[in-house]
Amino acid sequence: MQRLVLIDGNAILHRAYHAIPPLTSKDGKPVNAVYGLISILVRLVNQLKPTHMAVCFDRPEPTFRKVEFAKYQAQRPEIEENLSLQFDKAKEVLRAMNIKIFEKPGYEADDLIGSISNLATEREGFRVDEVIIVTGDRDILQLVDDSKKIRVFMPVGGFSEGKIYTQKDVL
């Protein structure tokens, strides 16, 4: 069975950052979110057994939604500096692990996850049997589609206890 696991990098790093106590590297840089991401990846590989894996990230540039509607996500607080400092290190680790990274100016990770999920289940030449999206963001549940075998894995109290959502679960 060909199983693609798509990870919402921003959501998972954010969750790991707040779940793991502050850790620093030898040079004093924060690494707790990176450590949490790696821990989560290891659990996901063991638990979900993907044949393919990729991580999608938001970009710092304004998205097409923000351009269209200036107040889009205006209530969202600024990302903490100790977390924002860890994104480049996380991407470096993912590349070293040979995990594909997707990001595109003007688009959110959710947009990319939706597009990749559809392409992976419909496109000739590269089609997988199942897509599992890993996130803590409930907005992504709109992508669950049993006919395409697109599911969402969401933590329930932590990543050691996660739930795979089908359409029935979403309803």
Side-chain angles (χ1 to χ4, degrees), residues 10-29:
N10 288 70
I12 299 308
L13 271 175
H14 187 85
R15 188 174 188 91
Y17 175 76
H18 290 288
I20 308 261
L23 297 171
T24 56
S25 62
K26 289 180 197 176
D27 59 359
K29 294 182 181 171

Side-chain angles (χ1 to χ4, degrees), residues 1-66:
M1 172 189 254
Q2 297 285 308
R3 178 178 290 146
L4 170 62
V5 171
L6 290 173
I7 299 168
D8 181 339
N10 288 70
I12 299 308
L13 271 175
H14 187 85
R15 188 174 188 91
Y17 175 76
H18 290 288
I20 308 261
L23 297 171
T24 56
S25 62
K26 289 180 197 176
D27 59 359
K29 294 182 181 171
V31 293
N32 58 317
V34 176
Y35 173 80
L37 174 67
I38 295 166
S39 299
I40 290 164
L41 287 173
V42 169
R43 277 194 219 116
L44 291 172
V45 167
N46 290 328
Q47 199 171 349
L48 301 178
K49 311 268 189 262
T51 54
H52 310 284
M53 185 180 274
V55 181
C56 297
F57 286 99
D58 297 343
R59 295 274 311 156
E61 299 88 357
T63 65
F64 68 91
R65 289 178 188 87
K66 182 79 171 170

Side-chain angles (χ1 to χ4, degrees), residues 28-153:
K29 294 182 181 171
V31 293
N32 58 317
V34 176
Y35 173 80
L37 174 67
I38 295 166
S39 299
I40 290 164
L41 287 173
V42 169
R43 277 194 219 116
L44 291 172
V45 167
N46 290 328
Q47 199 171 349
L48 301 178
K49 311 268 189 262
T51 54
H52 310 284
M53 185 180 274
V55 181
C56 297
F57 286 99
D58 297 343
R59 295 274 311 156
E61 299 88 357
T63 65
F64 68 91
R65 289 178 188 87
K66 182 79 171 170
V67 170
E68 187 72 26
F69 180 63
K71 292 184 181 179
Y72 177 72
Q73 293 184 335
Q75 78 289 356
R76 185 174 281 184
E78 282 291 317
I79 189 169
E80 291 182 34
E81 184 180 5
N82 280 343
L83 172 56
S84 66
L85 291 171
Q86 296 184 59
F87 278 85
D88 286 341
K89 179 59 80 178
K91 291 173 189 175
E92 183 182 322
V93 169
L94 291 167
R95 285 185 197 96
M97 295 173 77
N98 205 27
I99 296 174
K100 184 70 176 161
I101 297 169
F102 290 97
E103 55 186 351
K104 184 171 176 69
Y107 295 88
E108 296 178 22
D110 292 1
D111 300 318
L112 301 175
I113 289 169
S115 295
I116 294 166
S117 295
N118 282 324
L119 284 172
T121 57
E122 297 174 356
R123 186 175 176 187
E124 291 297 325
F126 179 78
R127 184 177 300 163
V128 297
D129 301 306
E130 182 179 40
V131 174
I132 299 178
I133 300 165
V134 179
T135 186
D137 183 355
R138 294 191 175 277
D139 289 351
I140 209 88
L141 289 172
Q142 65 188 303
L143 297 178
V144 172
D145 186 335
D146 288 349
S147 66
K148 292 182 180 181
K149 294 197 172 153
I150 299 174
R151 318 262 194 265
V152 170
F153 178 90

